[in-house]
PDB file of all heavy atoms in Angstrom:
ATOM      1  N   ASN A  92     104.371 131.502 142.816  1.00  0.00           N
ATOM      2  CA  ASN A  92     103.918 130.236 142.220  1.00  0.00           C
ATOM      3  C   ASN A  92     105.030 129.597 141.387  1.00  0.00           C
ATOM      4  O   ASN A  92     105.253 128.394 141.455  1.00  0.00           O
ATOM      5  CB  ASN A  92     102.704 130.471 141.326  1.00  0.00           C
ATOM      6  CG  ASN A  92     101.448 130.679 142.158  1.00  0.00           C
ATOM      7  OD1 ASN A  92     101.438 130.371 143.331  1.00  0.00           O
ATOM      8  ND2 ASN A  92     100.417 131.216 141.525  1.00  0.00           N
ATOM      9  N   TYR A 101     112.963 120.703 141.213  1.00  0.00           N
ATOM     10  CA  TYR A 101     114.243 120.407 141.858  1.00  0.00           C
ATOM     11  C   TYR A 101     114.131 119.115 142.668  1.00  0.00           C
ATOM     12  O   TYR A 101     114.997 118.248 142.600  1.00  0.00           O
ATOM     13  CB  TYR A 101     114.604 121.596 142.741  1.00  0.00           C
ATOM     14  CG  TYR A 101     115.872 121.476 143.550  1.00  0.00           C
ATOM     15  CD1 TYR A 101     117.107 121.306 142.932  1.00  0.00           C
ATOM     16  CD2 TYR A 101     115.847 121.590 144.938  1.00  0.00           C
ATOM     17  CE1 TYR A 101     118.265 121.231 143.677  1.00  0.00           C
ATOM     18  CE2 TYR A 101     117.001 121.515 145.690  1.00  0.00           C
ATOM     19  CZ  TYR A 101     118.214 121.343 145.052  1.00  0.00           C
ATOM     20  OH  TYR A 101     119.358 121.271 145.805  1.00  0.00           O
ATOM     21  N   LEU A 102     113.011 118.966 143.398  1.00  0.00           N
ATOM     22  CA  LEU A 102     112.819 117.756 144.191  1.00  0.00           C
ATOM     23  C   LEU A 102     112.738 116.521 143.307  1.00  0.00           C
ATOM     24  O   LEU A 102     113.142 115.433 143.707  1.00  0.00           O
ATOM     25  CB  LEU A 102     111.539 117.864 145.018  1.00  0.00           C
ATOM     26  CG  LEU A 102     111.647 118.549 146.370  1.00  0.00           C
ATOM     27  CD1 LEU A 102     110.281 118.702 147.000  1.00  0.00           C
ATOM     28  CD2 LEU A 102     112.550 117.752 147.298  1.00  0.00           C
ATOM     29  N   PHE A 112     117.566 106.293 134.080  1.00  0.00           N
ATOM     30  CA  PHE A 112     118.820 105.551 133.902  1.00  0.00           C
ATOM     31  C   PHE A 112     118.663 104.060 134.202  1.00  0.00           C
ATOM     32  O   PHE A 112     119.600 103.296 134.003  1.00  0.00           O
ATOM     33  CB  PHE A 112     119.946 106.172 134.738  1.00  0.00           C
ATOM     34  CG  PHE A 112     120.614 107.315 134.030  1.00  0.00           C
ATOM     35  CD1 PHE A 112     119.963 108.518 133.867  1.00  0.00           C
ATOM     36  CD2 PHE A 112     121.885 107.173 133.503  1.00  0.00           C
ATOM     37  CE1 PHE A 112     120.556 109.567 133.200  1.00  0.00           C
ATOM     38  CE2 PHE A 112     122.493 108.215 132.822  1.00  0.00           C
ATOM     39  CZ  PHE A 112     121.828 109.417 132.671  1.00  0.00           C
ATOM     40  N   ASN A 122     127.182 104.078 135.641  1.00  0.00           N
ATOM     41  CA  ASN A 122     125.940 104.368 134.938  1.00  0.00           C
ATOM     42  C   ASN A 122     125.686 105.870 135.015  1.00  0.00           C
ATOM     43  O   ASN A 122     124.735 106.318 135.606  1.00  0.00           O
ATOM     44  CB  ASN A 122     124.811 103.568 135.603  1.00  0.00           C
ATOM     45  CG  ASN A 122     123.510 103.666 134.848  1.00  0.00           C
ATOM     46  OD1 ASN A 122     123.492 104.120 133.704  1.00  0.00           O
ATOM     47  ND2 ASN A 122     122.434 103.254 135.487  1.00  0.00           N
ATOM     48  N   LYS A 177     104.555 113.065 186.880  1.00  0.00           N
ATOM     49  CA  LYS A 177     105.805 113.791 187.128  1.00  0.00           C
ATOM     50  C   LYS A 177     106.879 113.279 186.188  1.00  0.00           C
ATOM     51  O   LYS A 177     107.002 112.078 185.984  1.00  0.00           O
ATOM     52  CB  LYS A 177     106.249 113.572 188.576  1.00  0.00           C
ATOM     53  CG  LYS A 177     105.565 114.523 189.534  1.00  0.00           C
ATOM     54  CD  LYS A 177     106.120 114.334 190.935  1.00  0.00           C
ATOM     55  CE  LYS A 177     105.240 115.057 191.930  1.00  0.00           C
ATOM     56  NZ  LYS A 177     105.213 114.385 193.222  1.00  0.00           N
ATOM     57  N   SER A 199     128.756 106.469 165.847  1.00  0.00           N
ATOM     58  CA  SER A 199     130.108 106.226 166.354  1.00  0.00           C
ATOM     59  C   SER A 199     130.082 105.963 167.850  1.00  0.00           C
ATOM     60  O   SER A 199     130.857 105.146 168.352  1.00  0.00           O
ATOM     61  CB  SER A 199     131.033 107.396 166.017  1.00  0.00           C
ATOM     62  OG  SER A 199     130.595 108.579 166.618  1.00  0.00           O
ATOM     63  N   ARG A 208     132.669  97.037 175.209  1.00  0.00           N
ATOM     64  CA  ARG A 208     132.082  95.847 175.852  1.00  0.00           C
ATOM     65  C   ARG A 208     132.557  94.568 175.180  1.00  0.00           C
ATOM     66  O   ARG A 208     132.166  93.482 175.587  1.00  0.00           O
ATOM     67  CB  ARG A 208     130.553  95.874 175.777  1.00  0.00           C
ATOM     68  CG  ARG A 208     129.885  97.077 176.302  1.00  0.00           C
ATOM     69  CD  ARG A 208     129.492  96.924 177.741  1.00  0.00           C
ATOM     70  NE  ARG A 208     130.228  97.876 178.530  1.00  0.00           N
ATOM     71  CZ  ARG A 208     130.988  97.565 179.574  1.00  0.00           C
ATOM     72  NH1 ARG A 208     131.083  96.331 179.973  1.00  0.00           N
ATOM     73  NH2 ARG A 208     131.633  98.498 180.217  1.00  0.00           N
ATOM     74  N   ASP A 284     116.567 102.635 154.836  1.00  0.00           N
ATOM     75  CA  ASP A 284     117.359 103.659 154.185  1.00  0.00           C
ATOM     76  C   ASP A 284     118.546 104.105 155.026  1.00  0.00           C
ATOM     77  O   ASP A 284     119.377 104.870 154.568  1.00  0.00           O
ATOM     78  CB  ASP A 284     116.464 104.859 153.857  1.00  0.00           C
ATOM     79  CG  ASP A 284     117.067 105.720 152.767  1.00  0.00           C
ATOM     80  OD1 ASP A 284     117.883 105.184 152.000  1.00  0.00           O
ATOM     81  OD2 ASP A 284     116.746 106.909 152.697  1.00  0.00           O
ATOM     82  N   PRO A 300     122.015  99.902 151.686  1.00  0.00           N
ATOM     83  CA  PRO A 300     122.793 101.138 151.552  1.00  0.00           C
ATOM     84  C   PRO A 300     124.301 100.906 151.630  1.00  0.00           C
ATOM     85  O   PRO A 300     125.064 101.550 150.906  1.00  0.00           O
ATOM     86  CB  PRO A 300     122.317 101.983 152.733  1.00  0.00           C
ATOM     87  CG  PRO A 300     120.968 101.480 153.040  1.00  0.00           C
ATOM     88  CD  PRO A 300     121.017 100.017 152.761  1.00  0.00           C
ATOM     89  N   ARG A 308     132.306 102.977 144.729  1.00  0.00           N
ATOM     90  CA  ARG A 308     133.725 103.190 144.464  1.00  0.00           C
ATOM     91  C   ARG A 308     134.230 102.273 143.358  1.00  0.00           C
ATOM     92  O   ARG A 308     135.309 102.467 142.842  1.00  0.00           O
ATOM     93  CB  ARG A 308     134.545 102.886 145.717  1.00  0.00           C
ATOM     94  CG  ARG A 308     134.122 103.704 146.898  1.00  0.00           C
ATOM     95  CD  ARG A 308     135.019 103.366 148.061  1.00  0.00           C
ATOM     96  NE  ARG A 308     134.252 103.242 149.275  1.00  0.00           N
ATOM     97  CZ  ARG A 308     134.749 103.462 150.483  1.00  0.00           C
ATOM     98  NH1 ARG A 308     135.996 103.784 150.619  1.00  0.00           N
ATOM     99  NH2 ARG A 308     133.988 103.351 151.533  1.00  0.00           N
TER     100      ARG A 308
ATOM    101  N   GLY B 234     127.351 102.286 181.350  1.00  0.00           N
ATOM    102  CA  GLY B 234     128.535 102.593 180.569  1.00  0.00           C
ATOM    103  C   GLY B 234     129.745 101.881 181.148  1.00  0.00           C
ATOM    104  O   GLY B 234     130.606 101.399 180.426  1.00  0.00           O
ATOM    105  N   THR B 235     129.783 101.791 182.467  1.00  0.00           N
ATOM    106  CA  THR B 235     130.918 101.114 183.093  1.00  0.00           C
ATOM    107  C   THR B 235     130.594  99.658 183.381  1.00  0.00           C
ATOM    108  O   THR B 235     131.363  98.770 183.079  1.00  0.00           O
ATOM    109  CB  THR B 235     131.310 101.834 184.391  1.00  0.00           C
ATOM    110  OG1 THR B 235     130.116 102.201 185.072  1.00  0.00           O
ATOM    111  CG2 THR B 235     132.139 103.060 184.104  1.00  0.00           C
ATOM    112  N   TYR B 269     104.610 104.858 184.248  1.00  0.00           N
ATOM    113  CA  TYR B 269     106.020 104.466 184.375  1.00  0.00           C
ATOM    114  C   TYR B 269     106.241 103.058 183.848  1.00  0.00           C
ATOM    115  O   TYR B 269     107.272 102.768 183.241  1.00  0.00           O
ATOM    116  CB  TYR B 269     106.471 104.586 185.830  1.00  0.00           C
ATOM    117  CG  TYR B 269     106.360 105.998 186.343  1.00  0.00           C
ATOM    118  CD1 TYR B 269     105.285 106.405 187.117  1.00  0.00           C
ATOM    119  CD2 TYR B 269     107.323 106.944 186.012  1.00  0.00           C
ATOM    120  CE1 TYR B 269     105.166 107.701 187.549  1.00  0.00           C
ATOM    121  CE2 TYR B 269     107.222 108.246 186.437  1.00  0.00           C
ATOM    122  CZ  TYR B 269     106.135 108.626 187.210  1.00  0.00           C
ATOM    123  OH  TYR B 269     106.024 109.917 187.626  1.00  0.00           O
ATOM    124  N   LEU B 347     107.432 127.097 148.396  1.00  0.00           N
ATOM    125  CA  LEU B 347     106.732 125.841 148.115  1.00  0.00           C
ATOM    126  C   LEU B 347     105.718 125.528 149.226  1.00  0.00           C
ATOM    127  O   LEU B 347     104.544 125.239 148.956  1.00  0.00           O
ATOM    128  CB  LEU B 347     107.776 124.720 147.990  1.00  0.00           C
ATOM    129  CG  LEU B 347     107.339 123.391 147.415  1.00  0.00           C
ATOM    130  CD1 LEU B 347     106.544 123.587 146.145  1.00  0.00           C
ATOM    131  CD2 LEU B 347     108.553 122.525 147.128  1.00  0.00           C
ATOM    132  N   ARG B 354      97.469 128.101 148.705  1.00  0.00           N
ATOM    133  CA  ARG B 354      96.844 128.030 147.382  1.00  0.00           C
ATOM    134  C   ARG B 354      96.645 126.590 146.940  1.00  0.00           C
ATOM    135  O   ARG B 354      96.313 126.329 145.796  1.00  0.00           O
ATOM    136  CB  ARG B 354      97.728 128.762 146.366  1.00  0.00           C
ATOM    137  CG  ARG B 354      97.905 130.219 146.756  1.00  0.00           C
ATOM    138  CD  ARG B 354      98.834 130.940 145.826  1.00  0.00           C
ATOM    139  NE  ARG B 354      99.167 132.238 146.404  1.00  0.00           N
ATOM    140  CZ  ARG B 354     100.159 132.998 146.001  1.00  0.00           C
ATOM    141  NH1 ARG B 354     100.919 132.599 145.009  1.00  0.00           N
ATOM    142  NH2 ARG B 354     100.396 134.159 146.572  1.00  0.00           N
ATOM    143  N   TYR B 374     118.491 107.180 150.034  1.00  0.00           N
ATOM    144  CA  TYR B 374     119.283 108.401 150.212  1.00  0.00           C
ATOM    145  C   TYR B 374     120.543 108.361 149.351  1.00  0.00           C
ATOM    146  O   TYR B 374     120.877 109.320 148.650  1.00  0.00           O
ATOM    147  CB  TYR B 374     119.622 108.492 151.701  1.00  0.00           C
ATOM    148  CG  TYR B 374     120.551 109.576 152.116  1.00  0.00           C
ATOM    149  CD1 TYR B 374     120.318 110.888 151.745  1.00  0.00           C
ATOM    150  CD2 TYR B 374     121.656 109.299 152.914  1.00  0.00           C
ATOM    151  CE1 TYR B 374     121.169 111.886 152.158  1.00  0.00           C
ATOM    152  CE2 TYR B 374     122.506 110.286 153.332  1.00  0.00           C
ATOM    153  CZ  TYR B 374     122.269 111.582 152.949  1.00  0.00           C
ATOM    154  OH  TYR B 374     123.117 112.566 153.367  1.00  0.00           O
ATOM    155  N   LEU B 375     121.251 107.221 149.383  1.00  0.00           N
ATOM    156  CA  LEU B 375     122.497 107.116 148.632  1.00  0.00           C
ATOM    157  C   LEU B 375     122.238 107.166 147.130  1.00  0.00           C
ATOM    158  O   LEU B 375     122.991 107.788 146.386  1.00  0.00           O
ATOM    159  CB  LEU B 375     123.219 105.809 148.977  1.00  0.00           C
ATOM    160  CG  LEU B 375     123.723 105.682 150.400  1.00  0.00           C
ATOM    161  CD1 LEU B 375     124.473 104.385 150.573  1.00  0.00           C
ATOM    162  CD2 LEU B 375     124.614 106.844 150.760  1.00  0.00           C
ATOM    163  N   ASN B 383     124.872 112.012 137.956  1.00  0.00           N
ATOM    164  CA  ASN B 383     124.417 112.050 136.566  1.00  0.00           C
ATOM    165  C   ASN B 383     124.080 113.475 136.154  1.00  0.00           C
ATOM    166  O   ASN B 383     124.426 113.929 135.079  1.00  0.00           O
ATOM    167  CB  ASN B 383     123.163 111.197 136.368  1.00  0.00           C
ATOM    168  CG  ASN B 383     123.377 109.755 136.745  1.00  0.00           C
ATOM    169  OD1 ASN B 383     123.609 109.456 137.905  1.00  0.00           O
ATOM    170  ND2 ASN B 383     123.313 108.866 135.784  1.00  0.00           N
ATOM    171  N   GLY B 424     124.897 121.757 147.175  1.00  0.00           N
ATOM    172  CA  GLY B 424     123.684 121.442 146.426  1.00  0.00           C
ATOM    173  C   GLY B 424     123.098 120.106 146.846  1.00  0.00           C
ATOM    174  O   GLY B 424     121.886 119.970 147.028  1.00  0.00           O
ATOM    175  N   TYR B 428     119.528 119.533 148.622  1.00  0.00           N
ATOM    176  CA  TYR B 428     118.518 118.662 148.041  1.00  0.00           C
ATOM    177  C   TYR B 428     118.042 117.614 149.041  1.00  0.00           C
ATOM    178  O   TYR B 428     116.843 117.434 149.253  1.00  0.00           O
ATOM    179  CB  TYR B 428     119.066 117.968 146.794  1.00  0.00           C
ATOM    180  CG  TYR B 428     118.058 116.997 146.252  1.00  0.00           C
ATOM    181  CD1 TYR B 428     116.967 117.459 145.548  1.00  0.00           C
ATOM    182  CD2 TYR B 428     118.149 115.638 146.537  1.00  0.00           C
ATOM    183  CE1 TYR B 428     115.996 116.599 145.110  1.00  0.00           C
ATOM    184  CE2 TYR B 428     117.178 114.768 146.099  1.00  0.00           C
ATOM    185  CZ  TYR B 428     116.110 115.262 145.385  1.00  0.00           C
ATOM    186  OH  TYR B 428     115.137 114.405 144.981  1.00  0.00           O
ATOM    187  N   ARG B 515     138.769 103.383 159.386  1.00  0.00           N
ATOM    188  CA  ARG B 515     139.925 103.034 158.575  1.00  0.00           C
ATOM    189  C   ARG B 515     141.222 103.085 159.385  1.00  0.00           C
ATOM    190  O   ARG B 515     141.978 102.144 159.416  1.00  0.00           O
ATOM    191  CB  ARG B 515     140.017 103.971 157.389  1.00  0.00           C
ATOM    192  CG  ARG B 515     140.510 103.222 156.174  1.00  0.00           C
ATOM    193  CD  ARG B 515     140.404 104.057 154.981  1.00  0.00           C
ATOM    194  NE  ARG B 515     139.145 103.786 154.295  1.00  0.00           N
ATOM    195  CZ  ARG B 515     138.968 104.063 153.023  1.00  0.00           C
ATOM    196  NH1 ARG B 515     139.944 104.645 152.350  1.00  0.00           N
ATOM    197  NH2 ARG B 515     137.838 103.792 152.436  1.00  0.00           N
ATOM    198  N   SER B 526     133.809 113.622 167.351  1.00  0.00           N
ATOM    199  CA  SER B 526     132.348 113.521 167.470  1.00  0.00           C
ATOM    200  C   SER B 526     131.844 114.420 168.590  1.00  0.00           C
ATOM    201  O   SER B 526     130.823 115.093 168.454  1.00  0.00           O
ATOM    202  CB  SER B 526     131.937 112.089 167.794  1.00  0.00           C
ATOM    203  OG  SER B 526     132.072 111.280 166.674  1.00  0.00           O
TER     204      SER B 526
END
Side-chain angles (χ1 to χ4, degrees):
Chain A
N92 284 344
Y101 178 61
L102 274 174
F112 275 72
N122 187 13
K177 276 184 192 148
S199 62
R208 306 267 116 235
D284 201 23
R308 303 182 222 207
Chain B
T235 41
Y269 299 99
L347 193 48
R354 300 176 191 165
Y374 174 52
L375 294 183
N383 301 65
Y428 176 76
R515 216 171 265 202
S526 286

